[in-house]
């Protein structure tokens, strides 16, 4: 009878560890997948962008629920464990889920597609960083014209500017 209770306790601890690891890895996946799908200089499909934004939208609440669940399971496993190393191993899933919860509240798309904060203009003759063969995105508003080098837009993807007293966002 006593052996049966010990086996049951051991089995429930194994299931507890499995649940903790699955929740922690799922929380990490919901924030990592959008970052893997949407990357600079990598082709994206409409479906991939849709999935990324869906996961990004749901990740704050999902990771919060995951963090609470993992912490509850970790407390239970901590109390049920007698070995110091099994208690120490609980740090790993707790760290993963807390990292995912923090990352879910960051705008990692902005990290990857860092917008140009301050636009500086110069005359075409003074723009020594532009080669004759470089492509530019030209905008004209109210007889005021600017040209944004595609090479810079390909990295930053977006620039906020004012052309002809009209605020605009140029993207590539």
């Amino acid at each position: 009878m006593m052996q049966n209770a010990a086996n049951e306790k051991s089995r429930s601890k194994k299931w507890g560890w499995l649940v903790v690891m699955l929740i922690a890895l799922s929380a990490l996946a919901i924030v990592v997948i959008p970052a893997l799908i949407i990357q600079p200089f990598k082709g994206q499909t409409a479906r991939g962008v849709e999935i990324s934004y869906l996961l990004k939208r749901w990740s704050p609440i999902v990771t919060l629920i995951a963090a609470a669940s993992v912490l509850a399971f970790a407390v239970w496993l901590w109390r049920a464990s007698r070995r110091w190393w099994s208690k120490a191993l609980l740090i790993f899933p707790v760290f993963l889920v807390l990292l995912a919860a923090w990352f879910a509240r960051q705008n990692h798309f902005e990290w990857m597609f860092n917008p140009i904060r301050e636009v500086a203009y110069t005359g075409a003759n003074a723009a020594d960083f532009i080669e004759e063969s470089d492509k530019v995105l030209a905008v004209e508003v109210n007889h005021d014209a600017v040209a944004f080098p595609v090479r810079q837009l390909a990295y930053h993807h977006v620039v906020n500017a004012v052309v002809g007293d009209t605020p605009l966002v140029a993207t590539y």
Side-chain angles (χ1 to χ4, degrees), residues 13 41 45 70 85 91:
K13 283 194 327 187
F41 308 111
T45 64
V70 165
W85 56 266
I91 293 170

Side-chain angles (χ1 to χ4, degrees), residues 81-94:
S81 296
R82 291 196 173 129
R83 295 182 178 98
W84 68 268
W85 56 266
S86 64
K87 290 181 178 184
L89 284 176
L90 285 170
I91 293 170
F92 181 68
V94 169

Side-chain angles (χ1 to χ4, degrees), residues 29 41 52 56 60-61 64 69 77-79 84 123 126 146 159 163:
F41 308 111
S52 293
K56 180 73 176 131
I61 189 70
L64 189 63
S69 301
L77 287 168
W78 180 278
R79 290 180 178 167
W84 68 268
V146 296
V159 62
V163 180

Side-chain angles (χ1 to χ4, degrees), residues 7-63:
N7 286 342
E8 185 64 33
K9 185 176 181 180
S10 175
R11 195 172 18 254
S12 66
K13 283 194 327 187
K14 287 177 183 176
W15 277 106
W17 271 100
L18 180 64
V19 169
V20 163
M21 292 307 293
L22 285 175
I23 292 172
L25 292 174
S26 297
L28 195 60
I30 199 169
V31 295
V32 169
I33 289 171
L36 292 175
I37 293 174
I38 297 183
Q39 292 185 12
F41 308 111
K42 181 181 170 195
Q44 293 125 20
T45 64
R47 183 72 177 142
V49 171
E50 183 181 336
I51 289 169
S52 293
Y53 278 99
L54 177 71
L55 292 175
K56 180 73 176 131
R57 188 171 41 254
W58 280 97
S59 64
I61 189 70
V62 169
T63 56

